[in-house]
Structures are given as structure tokens and as C-alpha cells.
Amino acid sequence: MKEKLNKDQLLLLLDRIMQPKAHGLTEKEGDDTLLAFCAGCPDPVKARWLVVECLDPMTDVELVERALAMPLRKMTDIPTSELPQGHPLRTMAA
């Protein structure tokens, strides 16, 4: 499994995700930053859900703390119904 990121590293990535224009990110760079954030979390699929779909009001710190508190999940344990076989996270977080 690839190395997971620490709280400070995840906060830096999350700031880039949440403020792409302030960081001068292209759409692709924003997508790549989101993938890097998710791959750096113990459960990449649920981390993506936190960033993209979760409607709970949270600060960046709270979001990162929730992501870090999730149990570790290996990519091989995630069914294709949750994450398609060819999804980039499968190789990034493997």
C-alpha cells in the first residue's frame, strides 16, 4: 500500500481542491489534486465521498480529521460496485 499522508499534507491538498482558482489550477490539476488527496487517506473511496458528496457542514480540519479517522481499506477489498476497476484510485492507492 502506498504511504498515507499526514494531516498537514491533506490540509494543503484540500485547500487546493476547495480554492482551485486561487491556486491557479486547471480542471485536470484540480482532478489530480482530488485523486492525490483521496489516495493519501486510509479509505480513498470514503474520502472522495467526504469531499465531493457529503453535505455535512465541516471546516477543512474537521473533514481531514474525519478522513483520517476512517479504518484502512485496501483497494483489493473495494468492490467494483463502489469503485470501477479502471478508476485511477485503484493504482494510486494500491
Side-chain angles (χ1 to χ4, degrees):
M1 180 160 291
K2 299 218 173 154
E3 183 179 323
K4 298 304 170 192
L5 301 176
N6 67 37
K7 183 177 178 178
D8 291 334
Q9 292 168 316
L10 290 172
L11 282 169
L12 288 173
L13 288 173
L14 187 59
D15 185 61
R16 292 173 60 86
I17 293 165
M18 298 301 189
Q19 300 184 70
K21 289 184 182 182
H23 293 281
L25 299 181
T26 65
E27 186 174 342
K28 171 144 179 33
E29 290 168 332
D31 291 345
D32 290 346
T33 303
L34 175 60
L35 288 171
F37 176 90
C38 296
C41 292
D43 186 334
V45 174
K46 289 186 179 171
R48 184 188 178 285
W49 176 83
L50 274 175
V51 175
V52 177
E53 298 177 36
C54 182
L55 298 176
D56 295 345
M58 290 180 275
T59 65
D60 287 359
V61 171
E62 290 169 330
L63 189 148
V64 167
E65 287 174 349
R66 276 181 74 175
L68 288 173
M70 293 177 179
L72 183 65
R73 254 195 344 171
K74 297 178 184 175
M75 287 287 98
T76 55
D77 295 340
I78 298 173
T80 56
S81 61
E82 278 188 70
L83 188 69
Q85 190 60 41
H87 196 282
L89 275 178
R90 290 222 178 254
T91 56
M92 290 179 72

